[in-house]
Amino acid sequence: MSKAVKADFSVSGLGGDSVLGGAGTMSNPANEGATLFFQMAPGMNIPYEYGGVKQEIQGYRDSAWIGTTLMISPIYDVVGKDAVKFLNAICINDFTKLGLNGLRHAVICNDKGQIMTDGVVIRIAEDRYRTYWLNPPIDYLLKKSGLDVSGEDKTGTEYFIQIAGEKSLEILEDAFEADLHDIKFARHRKAEMDGKTVEVIRLGMSGNLAYEIHGPMSDFDAVYRKVWASGEKFGATKLGMHAYNLFNHTEAGFPNIHLHYPFPWFESDQGLSDYLAQNPALGGMNSNRKLAGSVGDDLQSRFVTPYDVGWDFLVNFNHEFTGKPALEQIAKNPGRRVTTLEWNADDVAAVFATMLRPGQTPCDDITKQSDLSLGENSFNGYTEYRADKVLVNGRQIGISSGRIISYPYNSMISLAFIAPEYAAPGTEVTVLWGTPGTPQKEIRAIVAKYPYNQELIRNEDRDVAEIPGYRK
C-alpha cells in the first residue's frame, strides 16, 4: 500500500491510477480524496482508505457510502441457446424463469456440497447471462460442458459503482434526475443519465438499502462524478477497499468469499487444479494460502456449504447440479449455522497485554482493526485466512472468522459457523485464539444478534414508498 501524495491521479495506459480497463490517459475520479492505496497488481492501485474505516463505514447509517472496490470483479458472459441448461447444471439455483429484470445470487458447489464460488447472475439478453465473481470455475466448467454455449470474459470493460445506505435512493434519483422507486430488491433495469445508459440494480452489502450501477467503462468518469456530486449533497462518504471488506460483511451478516472462507479449488476436481496451474493468475487467493488461527492446517473445516452460511433458501433441488446428492444429505441435518460472536473485552485486553511484556512470547496480534491483512499478503505473496476454534466445555463446535472492531457498536465481533444447537443468542462460548505453535488464549464470547446491525431495515424489507420521490 502507498500513501496518496498528490491530487493528479492520471496515468497513461491500462491500470495504474487509471480506470480499470480503460485505454489512453484517464483520471480516475474515485481516487480523488484517497489517503491510502492498495496495489492490487503491478500498476493497478485501488483506493484503500479515504481517511479511515471509522468515518467511512458510518456513511451507510447516516447517509450512504459510495464505493468502487468491486471494479475488480471478474465478469463473465454465458452466451448461447444452452445457457440456462449450463447454468442449471453447475449452480444450486434454477435459472429457468429468470427474466430480463431479475437476478440470481448464484452458488457453484463441488461434489461434497462445498462452495466453489458465489456471485451474481443477471440476464442481459435473450440468450446472454452476465456473471460476477463466478470465474474462473465457470470458464473451466463451460469449456468441458459439451453444450451449445460460449463464454466471454468481460472483466475490466464495465464500471461498477456501489451506493449503500439510508439515503442511497435519494442520491441516485438526484444524480439521474428521475424516479427510481419502481426498482424492487434483487431487480434491475436501465436508466438514462445525460444520454448515457446505466444499469441500476437494487442490491448491496451494507445490510440496509443499497444499489449498484453498471455501464461501459468509457462512461465511468462522467457517471461517477455526477453520482458523487449528488452524494455530497446528502452527506455521503467515499468507501475504500479496507472498510468495504470485512467491516461491511461481518457487521451485516454476509459471509464472503476470500474473506470469511477459502475455496476448495485445488481440493475438488483434478481437472480444475490443472486448469488453474495452466492459468496461474486465476488461482489468485487460493493458490498460495497461509492458514492462521487455532484451526491450524485443517482446511476442510474452513470450507463451507450453503447451509453453513445461511443460504439454504438458495438451494433448489428441482434440477440436477454438481453437489446435489451431498447437499440433499446435509439438508436433513445441517452441521453448522452462521451467527455473530461478540467477544469479551477483558479477555481481548489480556491477549493484547501479552504483546507488552518484555521476555514473554506474545500471542497473535489482536489489535488489528480486522483479520484481513491485504498489505502483508500482497508483500509476502500469499493470502492469509484466519479461523479460530469455537469451544463449549473444551469441545470444538465450529469455527470463527472475519473478526473486526465494530466501531458503531464499540465491540469486537466475528462471524462463526457453529453447531445449530449452540446458535441461540446469549449462548456462552469460547474462542481459542492463537495459531498452533504460538501462545494460545481462551476468549469468552457470546452468540449475538445476527446480523449484528439488524436494527436497520434490510434491503429486501425496505418499503421505498416511505422515501420522498424525485422532484425537478
Side-chain angles (χ1 to χ4, degrees):
M1 288 180 287
S2 59
K3 291 183 179 179
V5 294
K6 58 180 181 178
D8 181 5
F9 297 100
S10 301
V11 298
S12 179
L14 174 62
D17 294 320
S18 69
V19 177
L20 179 62
T25 300
M26 296 187 197
S27 172
N28 183 348
N31 287 351
E32 296 171 6
T35 54
L36 201 62
F37 288 101
F38 175 70
Q39 183 174 275
M40 192 75 185
M44 184 189 296
N45 295 325
I46 296 172
Y48 191 71
E49 287 187 357
Y50 294 94
V53 169
K54 189 173 183 179
Q55 65 91 16
E56 292 174 37
I57 201 70
Q58 188 66 25
Y60 84 97
R61 306 174 71 86
D62 299 335
S63 172
W65 55 250
I66 297 174
T68 58
T69 294
L70 292 188
M71 295 271 273
I72 63 173
S73 297
I75 305 173
Y76 189 90
D77 282 7
V78 176
V79 188
K81 70 176 186 179
D82 285 343
V84 170
K85 186 176 181 180
F86 167 68
L87 289 170
N88 276 7
I90 67 169
C91 295
I92 66 176
N93 320 80
D94 182 2
F95 292 84
T96 307
K97 297 181 180 180
L98 180 60
L100 285 170
N101 295 112
L103 63 83
R104 293 283 186 274
H105 174 190
V107 181
I108 300 175
C109 292
N110 63 10
D111 288 332
K112 293 181 179 180
Q114 296 166 331
I115 296 174
M116 295 284 280
T117 190
D118 79 278
V120 171
V121 176
I122 63 174
R123 186 180 178 189
I124 60 175
E126 183 64 28
D127 291 321
R128 179 179 288 268
Y129 294 77
R130 177 149 294 177
T131 77
Y132 302 90
W133 290 100
L134 298 190
N135 206 26
I138 195 171
D139 184 58
Y140 162 72
L141 294 168
L142 184 144
K143 287 175 177 174
K144 73 165 195 169
S145 69
L147 298 174
D148 186 1
V149 66
S150 61
E152 299 176 12
D153 190 344
K154 296 291 186 178
T155 305
T157 65
E158 178 179 299
Y159 67 76
F160 195 136
I161 304 171
Q162 293 175 288
I163 305 94
E166 294 301 300
K167 295 187 180 297
S168 54
L169 177 57
E170 293 167 86
I171 290 169
L172 281 184
E173 291 190 339
D174 185 79
F176 280 91
E177 301 178 72
D179 192 330
L180 303 174
H181 275 59
D182 62 295
I183 303 175
K184 299 183 184 301
F185 175 72
R187 295 290 185 270
H188 63 98
R189 73 165 172 83
K190 289 176 169 47
E192 296 295 315
M193 179 187 289
D194 298 335
K196 297 175 177 60
T197 301
V198 180
E199 198 76 37
V200 183
I201 305 173
R202 186 171 161 187
L203 197 68
M205 290 291 109
S206 61
N208 58 345
L209 187 64
Y211 296 82
E212 298 174 359
I213 59 174
H214 301 238
M217 196 65 81
S218 58
D219 293 343
F220 172 71
D221 188 281
V223 172
Y224 182 89
R225 289 185 186 280
K226 191 161 188 185
V227 170
W228 175 241
S230 294
E232 284 189 295
K233 294 180 186 179
F234 289 88
T237 61
K238 288 185 178 181
L239 193 86
M241 177 182 274
H242 191 193
Y244 175 71
N245 287 321
L246 282 176
F247 295 93
N248 269 273
H249 294 88
T250 294
E251 220 170 68
F254 291 122
N256 203 256
I257 64 176
H258 306 314
L259 301 178
H260 293 94
Y261 52 89
F263 287 143
W265 286 355
F266 295 92
E267 294 77 23
S268 300
D269 180 335
Q270 187 58 49
L272 178 58
S273 296
D274 294 341
Y275 169 88
L276 292 171
Q278 295 163 10
N279 301 275
L282 298 179
M285 294 180 169
N286 292 284
S287 60
N288 189 19
R289 309 183 189 106
K290 177 184 177 183
L291 303 180
S294 58
V295 172
D297 60 3
D298 178 8
L299 259 176
Q300 288 302 313
S301 70
R302 294 169 182 263
F303 299 142
V304 296
T305 74
Y307 291 88
D308 294 337
V309 296
W311 297 344
D312 43 301
F313 66 95
L314 295 176
V315 184
N316 195 324
F317 290 120
N318 70 350
H319 63 291
E320 298 302 316
F321 58 88
T322 304
K324 179 179 178 180
L327 290 175
E328 286 177 324
Q329 292 304 308
I330 293 170
K332 297 175 183 177
N333 186 27
R336 297 190 296 189
R337 177 179 162 189
V338 64
T339 189
T340 310
L341 295 185
E342 189 176 277
W343 297 33
N344 180 276
D346 292 333
D347 290 355
V348 170
V351 173
F352 172 53
T354 68
M355 301 174 65
L356 306 174
R357 296 193 179 107
Q360 178 175 319
T361 301
C363 292
D364 289 351
D365 189 355
I366 204 168
T367 66
K368 296 177 181 179
Q369 290 177 296
S370 80
D371 279 336
L372 181 66
S373 303
L374 281 175
E376 295 94 323
N377 292 348
S378 178
F379 181 80
N380 291 301
Y382 54 63
T383 299
E384 179 176 293
Y385 289 94
R386 183 176 191 98
D388 291 290
K389 294 179 180 179
V390 180
L391 312 173
V392 170
N393 296 324
R395 182 174 67 87
Q396 184 175 353
I397 61 160
I399 67 172
S400 163
S401 69
R403 180 196 63 88
I404 66 167
I405 296 173
S406 177
Y407 291 106
Y409 300 96
N410 196 36
S411 60
M412 182 171 285
I413 63 172
S414 66
L415 294 187
F417 312 117
I418 61 176
E421 59 266 33
Y422 298 101
T427 302
E428 297 179 354
V429 300
T430 299
V431 177
L432 181 62
W433 179 264
T435 304
T438 71
Q440 295 181 320
K441 275 190 174 290
E442 293 187 351
I443 299 175
R444 289 168 291 173
I446 61 168
V447 175
K449 55 188 178 179
Y450 180 83
Y452 203 59
N453 64 359
Q454 66 179 223
E455 77 277 8
L456 301 175
I457 301 175
R458 303 290 281 189
N459 199 351
E460 58 267 36
D461 299 324
R462 185 62 183 269
D463 181 4
V464 296
E466 301 169 353
I467 300 173
Y470 173 75
R471 290 191 181 92
K472 290 186 178 180

